[in-house]
Structures are given as structure tokens and as C-alpha cells.
Amino acid sequence: MYVLPVPQMRFLLLFSRQGKLRLQKWFTPLVERERKKVVRDMTLMVLGRPPRSCNFLHWKDLKVVYKRYASLYFCCGLDDKDNELLALEVLHRYVELLDKYFGNVCELDIIFNFEKAYFILDEFLMGGEVQETSKVTVAKSIEASDMLQETMEEYMSKPAF
Amino acid sequence: MPAPIRLRELIRTIRTARTQAEEREMIQKECAAIRSSFREEDNTYRCRNVAKLLYMHMLGYPAHFGQLECLKLIASQKFTDKRIGYLGAMLLLDERQDVHLLMTNCIKNDLNHSTQYVQGVALCTLGCMGSAEMCRDLAGEVEKLLKTSNSYLRKKAALCAVHVIRKVPELMEMFLPATKNLLNEKNHGVLHTSVVLLTEMCERSPDMLAHFRKLVPQLVRILKNLIMSGYSPEHDVSGISDPFLQVRILRLLRILGKGDDDSSEAMNDILAQVATNTETSKNVGNAILYETVLTIMDIKSESGLRVLAINILGRFLLNNDKNIRYVALTSLLKTVQTDHNAVQRHRSTIVDCLKDLDVSIKRRAMELSFALVNGNNVRGMMKELLHFLDMCDPEFKADCASGIFLAAEKYAPSKRWHIDTIMKVLTTAGSYVRDDSVPNLIQLITNSVEMHSYTVQRLYKAVLDDISQQPLVQVASWCMGEYGDLLVSGQCEEEEPIHVTEDEVLDVLEGVLVSNLSSPITRGYALTAIMKLSTRFSSVNRIKRVVSIYGSSIDVELQQRAVEYNALFKKYDHMRSALLERMPIMEKTTTNGPTEILHTNGEAEPSVRDSKHPPNIPQPSSQANDLLDLLGGNDVVPVIQTELPTKPASSGGELLDLLGDLSLSGRMDVKCICFSPFLAIPPMTAYNKNGLKIDFTFERSNSNPNVSVITIHASNLTEVDMADFVFQAAVPKTFQLQLLSPSSNVVPGLNKGTVTQVIKVLNPQKQQLRMRIKLTYTHKGSSVQDLAEVNNFPTQSWQ
């Protein structure tokens, strides 16, 4: 991991208690091999934490903030100078957005609708920064985008180019 | 060809696989189907196939053959396609591939699309993974969107601009005009992203920072409104209005206020307000307080405000929430240097955190505790830290022990306390102590002259109980070897002296030698200690027996030592007491890092006194050769190995390094304080030809008046170094000569340094000393050889 002049979130990962990856968002350029290594390290470290530990870890020169929601671990990598208490709020906000969209969200929703989970994330964060602080606004944007998606009939009849 | 199966169908199927092999088979089958579908250039199902590919990619399977397909999707008119296409691009493509450059045109078009959600998804992709080239090409489009009145697009454009600046910092200037009215926005999304953009610009450019300082009043106003305004359901988090925005504003204020008196003053009030009014029952409030504390500590705040900040951290330490405690300790660690006294007030709370159950908190508390130790609190703190050392997990013990040693060295109120503290560490966590602590401790003990008997007594008692902790046993063995005479003499001022016989001491040392618990290094220490006692105890026969037994030890290291010591008994008994005498005080070196060059009173004491501390621990093998190569007065002394002694791997090796650097390294100027007075005999020049000058300095051996110790100093006044320098000497038959290893075999030119070498001359018949010397070296490419007679020895040197 290299040093950036301005602190930012480096990545956001979701993985299950068995270590299966459910979502990976990278905010800095990393090659496939490096990404795989980060995922491996994160899963090992976070899953290996004793229960009732604090939600912060140190890994290389980064702070890792993680929180478990039901069977999913939400894990993000921050710069050393970032505010980890706020990062917990960011993770929580994302869970709330997922919950609003899916209605009592659970891991299966994320598995079967992973692309939606990404779309929601992309309305909430960009480049590791929060782009919208209102839950209502994010929800409305997702709804409107979903409406824009063609129905099967429309999709079949519409020309691609 | 039938329609490719749907995404959710595939996911369901793959999840039914019971083994990894079964899953792999399903995936391979599906990938093959997808590949042929791609080959057919099927527009209808491309989206579905790419979505499936993305799922399989998340499971860890390769998906690079879908990269181009993502581009085709992005170029499509259908929003469904674009959404998946851009997602695929963000997951499968990265800057290092040329493929992603092909996206630039599509993104450009989409940035100008009539539908804001298309524009949005294009901005998002650019803002997430745009390369420097793409950013350069599209920065103008982003800048345009930054000025739009559409807040949905404006906020995304702001973050996209942040990414562009991160990739191509030179483009920062072009966004400056668009930032003019950003903070006038009411929309929180735009406000938040604008503050992020401003922060990025200020952090990267001092000019921008100066330019944006004028925004401080406006930022203060916005923050105030957030705090004072009533309940806003849209942005509320547990009773706090838009904590994300509050924190970002506090961070920007930090950057603007740093180093600037006026700005710092302008934000003083609001910081105090936030610090006192924020609800602390939930994490969100504490997140804001945390950021406030960081800001207060970084700007030029008045002292009252700083104290307020540290007190907030102190309260954090008492919070039930582990996360808060952890964050407090981390922050206090950062401020302990600058606000030492304020942090000291919370010392007892910090020390209590040593007992916390959480590993991360314990570590932070330990680091902070060490940072807080000073001359006033060292006794109390050490008690706590020693207790911690006893109770903590093994992962902490090494660091804790090292920390205690460092702190004890800096702040020890008395020598006795220091030795006691070391003893406690060795007995509590003796096996976790770092290897380099052993020589440091030995040096400390040596230099605490008045504590010798106390120290050796305590160490003796400790190893009676337990010989499993190697560093403890090593230090104890060394001390018993060195101060065994004090131990059996029954003198001890500091505490009740114990009655120990010579045999008991030897029993302990022999016990260490034979025990399975002892490492080879420890055994080396023990054997040497036993040998040293031969000049301090009277039971020499027992010692001789032990030494001769180990002459056939399987351990090569022990065997070599034993053989050498045997030789010392047999052939060189007259040298034994000189070699094994008490160690002098060693000049302090830095605890970590290499031996320094030391100076005492600015006096240039000529050479290394090799003779005064002949190694009690065996020198590298060249030394052994020296002893065994002594000739009975032949004319020519055999060539002594003149390779530079490398760092010996033997035990006592660490100690040897302290000595080694003093005596045998290339460093010329190392001085040390010696017990015995130096020169009574004037030096002389033995040889001076062709720019090579050799001076002799003399001293007498303390224990044997028939031994003269001569140190040669070779210096080179020419411009060119003299390499492969070898000095040889021969004396008449009635003398015995011993030549020790030289300090170096290069005599640097222009008198930049000297090569020293020690000659020991045994002159039992007190005859006039004469010497023939032979010099060989390479100079300016050619090899030089010279013979000379040295006859001008001062009378005192041989009488």
C-alpha cells in the first residue's frame, strides 16, 4: 500500500463468516494479484479476531475498520489519519440503505442481487468519499435509475446502437 | 442456440455445488457457453452474460475475456446495458490495461447525455477508476458539470474532480473558478462533496490553501447552523444533524487554521461549542468530538481549548465503548510529545487500560505508558509496567521488556534500583528479552562497580531456582565468572550476604553446562565463566577437569573453547592471569545501533589498549592461532592471519563486539577508560621510510612484569593508500614474541588513519630488546617489501 498525500478510504469489502467474498469496491488502482492478497489478508485478520474486540485493526500502514451485521462482515481500509469512528457511521449508513432497498436485508439478498448492492454503493460513495448524506435522496436516485432500466419487452425491442 | 440462463438461475445452480471441483466444473461449462455467445456478437444477451461473468469473477475465477464486452455494453443505448457495462469496467478493468482507454469516448458522450442517471453513472466510473490520460481528456467535461445547477450532477462532478486532481494534480487550477459559489449551496450532498473538493485542493497546494482561508467564516456559519438548527429528518443520525458534513467541515477548518493565528481565532468559539454540546452517548457524537479534538490540537488554539481537548480524550478513556477507548489512546499517543503535561494528568487512567481485555487497547496503553515515564513517576510507573510484563500475553513481552530497559536506563533513580529492575525483568520474562539486551546488561553491570557483589549475589540466587530462561542464565553466568570471588567472599553491602562456597558456584555453572535447557550460546557463557574462575578460585584442579572434558565435546564451539583453555593451562599458564583479569569499565555506547566513536576529554589517547583487556571471551580463530603459533625465539615469526576479524558468531560474541569494535575494527579513534595508568614509557619511532612511519608505544602488563606490550602505529603520509599491509617481527632467542591481529591491512594515505597492532614481548632475562621487522604492502600498484632493524628501544621498555 502506498502513501497518499490526502487520507482516503482505500477499499470496501463484504464477506461472509466463511470468508466468501460478497462485494469488493476498490478506490485505488491495484492489480488483480494485489486485490486478491488484500482480500485474503482482510478475511484472515477479521475472522480471526476474538469476539468483543474493538472494531479497529492495524494492517501495514492502514487502519482497518470492520463491523459484523448478521452473517456479513463489512470491512474498509482507511488511511492512518482518517477518522475511524466516522468510518463506522459510513458502514452503518450503507447497511441502512441496503435495508431500505431490500426490506430487512440479509446476506442472500446481497448474493442474488450483488449488482444492485454495487449500484446503491455507487450512489452513496465515490472515490472513497461520501457523495450524499441524505438517506432519502439516495433511495430516490436508485428508484429512478431502476425505473430507467428497460422491461424485458422494451429491452428486446429496443436497438442497442 | 437456446437463450443463455439467467443470472439468478446461475447463482442458484452454482450454490448447489457440494465440492470445489463441482463448482469449478459448472463454472467452466458456463464460461464456455458465454464465450461462444460473445463470439456470436449477440447483442441481446451480452448484458446477461457479462453479469454472470461478474458473479463468477467475484468467486475468484478469471474473467478477462469479458473486458471488451463491457466496452460494448457501455456503448449501447440501453440503460440496462450501460449500468452493467460500467460496473463491469470498474471491476474488470484497471489502469494498467490499454483497453480502458477505449472507454474515454463513450464516457465523454455519456457525460453529455440527456438523462442525468446516464451522466451520473459515467461520472461515477470516471471518478472511480479513470486513469491519468482519461482524466486529462475529460477534465473539461467534469468542470462543466461542476457548474451546473443540477445538484445531483454537481455533487458527483465535485467528487469526480477530486479524483481528477488526485490523478493529475496539475489540473487543479482549472477547477478553481467553479469553486466560487460552492459553499452557497443548500443541498447537503453538494455541500459535502464541495468541502471534500476544497479539502483536497488545500491539502495539495499551499497557494490554494492561502486562497481559501477566506472561507473560514462561511464554514463556521454553516457548522453553526447544523448544530443549532432543529430536527431535520433527512440528515438526522441519532439526534445529530448530518454528522458526515460536520466532520468534513471540522477537517477543512483544521487544515485552514493550522499555522494561522487569525483563522484559528475565528474558529475558536465554534470548536468550543461543538466540544461542549455534542451528545456523547452514541458513536456518532463521539466521531464528531474526535474530529474536533484533532482539529483543536492541530491549529493554534488557546491553551484553555487544548486542555478541553485533552480532557475529552481523558473522558473517552473511561467510556464503556472499546472503540472510543482505543481511539483515545491512539490520539493521546500522538499528542503526548507536544502536550506532555496535559496527558500526564490522565496517567492513572491510561495505566488502568493496561488491564483492558482488548488486545489493541492493551498495546496502545503500553506504548503510551512508556511515553509518559519521566524522572518523577518512574518508580510508580515501573511497578505497573513490571506487573503488566508479568501478566501480559507473550506477544507483548519482548516489546515491554525492551521498553522497560530503555526507560530504566534513562530515568533510574539509583544504580541499585536499576539492577533490581533488570533482575525483575529477567526473572519475569527472561525468555522473551531481546538478544541484544544481554551485552547491554553486562555492560551496565560492569559499570556499576559498587553493585558488583550485590548483583552477582542476586543473580546467583535467581539461577539456583531456574535455569530455563536463557538471557538470565547468560548474564548470571557471566557475572559469576567475573565476580565469583566477591560471591564467595561473603561481602555484600546492599543486602544480607549469603554463604556460598566455590564448589557451589561451580556446581551451578556445571549444571548449566550439562542441562538440556541451555542453548549452545548459554553453554559458551558457562564454560568461559568457569575458566575465568580459575584465577579467582582456588579449586583450579576441578576447573581443569571440566575444561579438559569439553575438549572433546560434540559442540564445535564448546570444543574450541575448551581446547584453547586447556592450552592456556598447559603451555601458557603464565599468561592466564593476565588474560582473565577483571574487566574494565566500558564506555557507554548507544543501546541500539552500531558502536559509536567515543571521545574522552578530547584527549587523543593513541591506541587501543588491546593488552589491557585481552579477551576473556575467546577471540576469533586468528587469535587462537596466535597463541599456538608462539615460537621460542626463532628469528622469523610466522605470518599471522591478517584478515580483519569478522563479527564472531560465538556467544560472548555480542560482548566481543563491544570489545571488538574497541580493539579490532577499522575504527582508529575509539578510546576507553582503563583502570591502570597509561604511559610510563615514552614512545618511539621505529621506522620511517618512503612515507610509511611506524611508531611504537609501550605499556607494561599489570600481572607479569616480564611482559612488555608494544603497540605499533603505522601511518602513511603519501597520497595513495597502502594496501595489503603486513607487519612481521622477529626477536632474539631469549625473547618470546606474540603478535596479535592488526586493526586493518590498509594504511590510508594522507595520514587519514593508522593501522595498529599489538606485540607482546616476554623478556624473562631482562635483556636489551632488539627487533627485526619486515614490512610488505602494495602501493601505487606495485608491491613493496622492506626489512629493518629496530634498536632504539627505550631502556624502560625492557628493564
Side-chain angles (χ1 to χ4, degrees):
Chain A
M1 289 283 153
Y2 40 96
V3 178
L4 298 171
V6 186
Q8 66 164 113
M9 193 183 289
R10 309 291 188 108
F11 56 79
L12 180 75
L13 304 173
L14 266 67
F15 48 85
S16 72
R17 281 211 307 227
Q18 288 77 39
K20 291 212 107 138
L21 191 64
R22 298 301 179 204
L23 186 142
Q24 49 175 334
K25 191 75 188 174
W26 303 94
F27 300 116
T28 54
L30 286 179
V31 286
E32 191 70 37
R33 199 182 62 243
E34 288 166 332
R35 290 182 186 185
K36 285 207 160 118
K37 176 153 199 321
V38 173
V39 172
R40 227 183 5 253
D41 287 351
M42 289 300 116
T43 9
L44 276 173
M45 270 182 11
V46 170
L47 293 176
R49 288 281 271 182
R52 288 190 301 276
S53 309
C54 73
N55 298 81
F56 311 131
L57 282 174
H58 248 88
W59 181 75
K60 302 202 179 172
D61 57 338
L62 298 182
K63 288 197 242 221
V64 174
V65 177
Y66 72 94
K67 190 145 183 200
R68 195 180 126 202
Y69 289 89
S71 60
L72 269 183
Y73 283 91
F74 286 65
C75 167
C76 62
L78 302 177
D79 242 25
D80 202 47
K81 299 202 203 96
D82 259 323
N83 184 333
E84 51 269 66
L85 296 180
L86 194 73
L88 279 175
E89 293 299 317
V90 169
L91 292 178
H92 191 72
R93 174 56 67 88
Y94 182 44
V95 172
E96 285 179 321
L97 291 169
L98 290 170
D99 193 59
K100 182 93 192 289
Y101 183 82
F102 288 108
N104 274 333
V105 67
C106 64
E107 192 183 344
L108 274 179
D109 291 317
I110 313 282
I111 295 171
F112 279 93
N113 302 285
F114 68 92
E115 82 277 14
K116 298 269 169 43
Y118 276 108
F119 296 151
I120 295 170
L121 186 61
D122 286 339
E123 285 300 318
F124 175 48
L125 299 179
M126 193 201 288
E129 307 285 354
V130 170
Q131 66 177 274
E132 181 53 66
T133 57
S134 157
K135 279 187 273 196
V136 167
T137 312
V138 175
K140 282 199 186 132
S141 312
I142 292 288
E143 218 179 284
S145 303
D146 280 352
M147 298 280 273
L148 255 196
Q149 276 199 218
E150 297 83 1
T151 64
M152 197 45 121
E153 215 179 80
E154 286 171 346
Y155 189 86
M156 290 305 188
S157 55
K158 195 171 176 183
F161 304 105
Chain B
M1 187 171 171
I5 67 169
R6 299 172 156 217
L7 170 64
R8 327 242 179 256
E9 189 69 46
L10 177 69
I11 297 177
R12 221 184 318 267
T13 314
I14 291 178
R15 280 171 64 78
T16 61
R18 276 159 304 168
T19 63
Q20 185 76 358
E22 212 179 315
E23 182 185 276
R24 218 187 344 253
E25 210 182 298
M26 290 179 187
I27 300 235
Q28 270 168 3
K29 193 161 143 229
E30 185 56 36
C31 277
I34 293 177
R35 269 197 165 100
S36 35
S37 183
F38 284 162
R39 265 197 301 272
E40 284 167 25
E41 295 282 353
D42 189 313
N43 286 336
T44 324
Y45 295 112
R46 183 177 290 118
C47 180
R48 184 183 288 182
N49 285 329
V50 169
K52 287 187 286 186
L53 203 54
L54 292 180
Y55 177 74
M56 294 189 287
H57 174 251
M58 185 142 64
L59 291 179
Y61 296 94
H64 44 270
F65 56 91
Q67 285 167 0
L68 267 172
E69 303 301 313
C70 294
L71 295 182
K72 293 179 195 165
L73 284 175
I74 291 171
S76 160
Q77 292 287 12
K78 306 184 205 178
F79 185 64
T80 315
D81 285 354
K82 280 190 193 290
R83 248 185 156 187
I84 295 290
Y86 276 119
L87 178 61
M90 284 194 272
L91 287 174
L92 299 181
L93 296 176
D94 69 71
E95 306 193 345
R96 280 155 246 252
Q97 286 133 6
D98 297 324
V99 177
H100 82 286
L101 278 171
L102 300 172
M103 282 196 323
T104 313
N105 219 31
C106 282
I107 295 185
K108 186 166 189 177
N109 291 336
D110 284 340
L111 286 175
N112 290 305
H113 204 274
S114 49
T115 316
Q116 69 175 17
Y117 297 106
V118 174
Q119 290 172 292
V121 86
L123 276 170
C124 182
T125 308
L126 181 60
C128 262
M129 45 102 47
S131 66
E133 293 93 358
M134 283 166 74
C135 288
R136 251 186 273 266
D137 286 338
L138 300 169
E141 305 295 327
V142 176
E143 199 256 344
K144 236 171 33 198
L145 289 170
L146 192 52
K147 296 192 283 216
T148 175
S149 53
N150 179 333
S151 45
Y152 177 78
L153 290 175
R154 210 167 179 204
K155 73 185 185 206
K156 287 182 187 272
L159 286 185
C160 198
V162 170
H163 179 82
V164 168
I165 292 172
R166 283 176 180 163
K167 281 293 174 194
V168 192
E170 305 88 69
L171 290 175
M172 204 184 332
E173 293 284 330
M174 76 182 282
F175 294 108
L176 188 53
T179 61
K180 234 192 184 84
N181 295 313
L182 277 179
L183 290 186
N184 295 336
E185 269 280 352
K186 290 279 176 267
N187 179 296
H188 280 229
V190 178
L191 259 181
H192 185 278
T193 56
S194 303
V195 172
V196 173
L197 176 58
L198 291 169
T199 309
E200 188 78 25
M201 291 167 96
C202 291
E203 290 250 51
R204 282 174 182 271
S205 156
D207 292 332
M208 291 287 181
L209 178 59
H211 173 83
F212 285 124
R213 275 223 174 86
K214 60 180 192 264
L215 293 176
V216 170
Q218 196 173 5
L219 287 165
V220 169
R221 248 191 336 267
I222 298 173
L223 188 53
K224 197 161 190 166
N225 282 337
L226 281 174
I227 300 170
M228 308 294 268
S229 68
Y231 177 70
S232 155
E234 217 184 314
H235 302 108
D236 179 88
V237 180
S238 304
I240 296 181
S241 190
D242 207 337
F244 303 105
L245 182 55
Q246 287 196 35
V247 166
R248 285 320 296 235
I249 293 179
L250 285 165
R251 196 177 300 181
L252 181 53
L253 286 175
R254 175 154 83 243
I255 296 163
L256 294 174
K258 191 167 185 171
D260 189 81
D261 288 320
D262 293 330
S263 305
S264 299
E265 213 197 299
M267 54 181 85
N268 231 350
D269 286 344
I270 190 67
L271 290 174
Q273 202 174 355
V274 175
T276 40
N277 289 343
T278 308
E279 185 66 46
T280 59
S281 55
K282 291 240 167 102
N283 180 66
V284 59
N286 290 316
I288 295 176
L289 274 179
Y290 180 36
E291 196 74 33
T292 312
V293 166
L294 291 177
T295 301
I296 293 175
M297 301 313 292
D298 245 14
I299 64 171
K300 294 186 152 233
S301 43
E302 39 176 69
S303 59
L305 201 53
R306 287 182 92 84
V307 171
L308 178 60
I310 302 261
N311 287 344
I312 290 176
L313 290 179
R315 271 206 310 277
F316 273 5
L317 280 179
L318 301 167
N319 197 305
N320 284 331
D321 188 337
K322 277 187 272 296
N323 296 331
I324 312 283
R325 292 205 299 275
Y326 177 85
V327 151
L329 286 169
T330 313
S331 313
L332 285 170
L333 198 55
K334 288 195 194 131
T335 59
V336 72
Q337 305 300 334
T338 45
D339 292 84
H340 191 89
N341 292 331
V343 180
Q344 280 283 0
R345 272 184 232 129
H346 300 278
R347 196 177 66 241
S348 49
T349 323
I350 292 168
V351 166
D352 279 340
C353 289
L354 286 172
K355 305 188 187 94
D356 203 295
L357 293 166
D358 185 287
V359 159
S360 315
I361 289 179
K362 270 204 276 242
R363 180 162 285 280
R364 283 277 176 272
M366 182 180 80
E367 288 167 6
L368 193 49
S369 298
F370 280 123
L372 287 175
V373 177
N374 62 26
N376 294 328
N377 60 31
V378 65
R379 282 186 194 266
M381 287 297 274
M382 275 304 154
K383 232 189 353 209
E384 297 285 349
L385 288 164
L386 283 168
H387 181 74
F388 176 68
L389 182 66
D390 200 12
M391 311 296 286
C392 68
D393 299 327
E395 60 183 292
F396 290 112
K397 290 206 197 247
D399 289 329
C400 189
S402 300
I404 292 178
F405 285 147
L406 269 169
E409 207 174 294
K410 272 206 270 205
Y411 301 111
S414 73
K415 283 225 158 113
R416 160 137 186 202
W417 180 93
H418 197 169
I419 303 260
D420 281 344
T421 305
I422 291 173
M423 287 293 306
K424 279 213 195 70
V425 175
L426 286 178
T427 48
T428 314
S431 357
Y432 297 97
V433 160
R434 294 216 164 83
D435 291 336
D436 62 355
S437 312
V438 173
N440 289 336
L441 293 176
I442 287 176
Q443 180 181 42
L444 175 69
I445 292 169
T446 311
N447 292 352
S448 316
V449 178
E450 64 278 14
M451 304 295 302
H452 284 168
S453 28
Y454 172 72
T455 312
V456 69
Q457 186 165 291
R458 288 213 56 187
L459 283 168
Y460 173 77
K461 285 197 273 194
V463 293
L464 273 183
D465 290 329
D466 171 21
I467 55 168
S468 64
Q469 306 197 80
Q470 300 307 295
L472 172 63
V473 178
Q474 286 168 17
V475 176
S477 303
W478 190 91
C479 283
M480 285 193 276
E482 188 68 13
Y483 309 119
D485 49 328
L486 297 175
L487 185 57
V488 299
S489 72
Q491 306 165 338
C492 182
E493 281 164 14
E494 297 287 335
E495 65 173 19
E496 188 68 32
I498 56 175
H499 296 290
V500 188
T501 64
E502 292 184 2
D503 277 321
E504 283 170 330
V505 176
L506 289 170
D507 284 341
V508 170
L509 287 172
E510 281 191 55
V512 171
L513 261 180
V514 304
S515 167
N516 285 335
L517 297 167
S518 300
S519 71
I521 292 179
T522 309
R523 288 209 177 90
Y525 269 95
L527 185 61
T528 304
I530 291 176
M531 185 59 194
K532 278 157 78 170
L533 290 173
S534 71
T535 53
R536 293 159 174 75
F537 283 1
S538 51
S539 22
V540 183
N541 287 328
R542 176 174 176 179
I543 294 174
K544 273 191 193 168
R545 255 201 326 273
V546 175
V547 166
S548 63
I549 290 173
Y550 279 88
S552 42
S553 163
I554 297 177
D555 184 327
V556 175
E557 184 59 45
L558 281 182
Q559 192 193 104
Q560 180 180 328
R561 283 167 195 247
V563 165
E564 290 169 11
Y565 295 153
N566 245 340
L568 205 51
F569 275 126
K570 298 211 163 70
K571 273 174 91 178
Y572 307 107
D573 207 40
H574 52 275
M575 312 210 84
R576 188 162 49 89
S577 44
L579 285 170
L580 303 179
E581 63 183 13
R582 185 81 93 226
M583 294 289 269
I585 290 184
M586 296 173 233
E587 189 59 18
K588 193 79 192 71
T589 61
T590 51
T591 24
N592 314 308
T595 342
E596 278 176 347
I597 295 178
L598 315 156
H599 297 268
T600 30
N601 303 329
E603 279 169 69
E605 293 182 38
S607 72
V608 177
R609 248 66 58 65
D610 217 23
S611 56
K612 279 305 153 205
H613 28 88
N616 295 355
I617 294 111
Q619 295 268 358
S621 43
S622 53
Q623 206 58 29
N625 290 341
D626 296 340
L627 285 176
L628 298 175
D629 278 341
L630 269 185
L631 300 176
N634 286 355
D635 273 9
V636 178
V637 171
V639 177
I640 305 296
Q641 303 301 324
T642 51
E643 85 259 15
L644 287 172
T646 48
K647 187 174 164 129
S650 58
S651 77
E654 311 87 298
L655 184 58
L656 188 59
D657 274 350
L658 282 177
L659 289 181
D661 273 326
L662 290 175
S663 62
L664 298 170
S665 71
R667 295 174 190 257
M668 297 308 120
D669 306 323
V670 181
K671 290 96 179 142
C672 65
I673 303 169
C674 247
F675 276 130
S676 27
F678 185 40
L679 292 179
I681 309 163
M684 60 173 266
T685 303
Y687 175 91
N688 193 350
K689 222 160 105 181
N690 300 328
L692 176 62
K693 181 156 167 281
I694 300 187
D695 293 327
F696 284 3
T697 56
F698 304 89
E699 46 201 74
R700 225 171 262 300
S701 155
N702 251 355
S703 42
N704 188 342
N706 294 331
V707 173
S708 302
V709 181
I710 307 170
T711 308
I712 71 153
H713 307 257
S715 51
N716 171 6
L717 296 161
T718 69
E719 284 169 347
V720 180
D721 292 358
M722 294 169 179
D724 307 315
F725 177 77
V726 174
F727 175 89
Q728 289 166 272
V731 286
K733 282 201 181 71
T734 48
F735 299 82
Q736 274 187 14
L737 189 74
Q738 180 195 356
L739 201 56
L740 302 185
S741 301
S743 57
S744 152
N745 60 359
V746 175
V747 193
L750 295 173
N751 217 4
K752 280 203 216 112
T754 52
V755 168
T756 58
Q757 194 164 5
V758 172
I759 311 170
K760 289 195 185 158
V761 182
L762 181 67
N763 183 5
Q765 293 178 24
K766 294 283 187 211
Q767 300 209 332
Q768 181 179 15
L769 185 52
R770 281 176 10 243
M771 199 184 272
R772 196 181 299 162
I773 61 178
K774 180 171 172 190
L775 307 156
T776 47
Y777 56 93
T778 42
H779 189 235
K780 292 181 185 166
S782 49
S783 149
V784 181
Q785 196 178 294
D786 199 4
L787 285 169
E789 289 255 7
V790 185
N791 291 321
N792 53 332
F793 287 94
T795 347
Q796 304 102 302
S797 66
W798 48 267
Q799 271 187 341

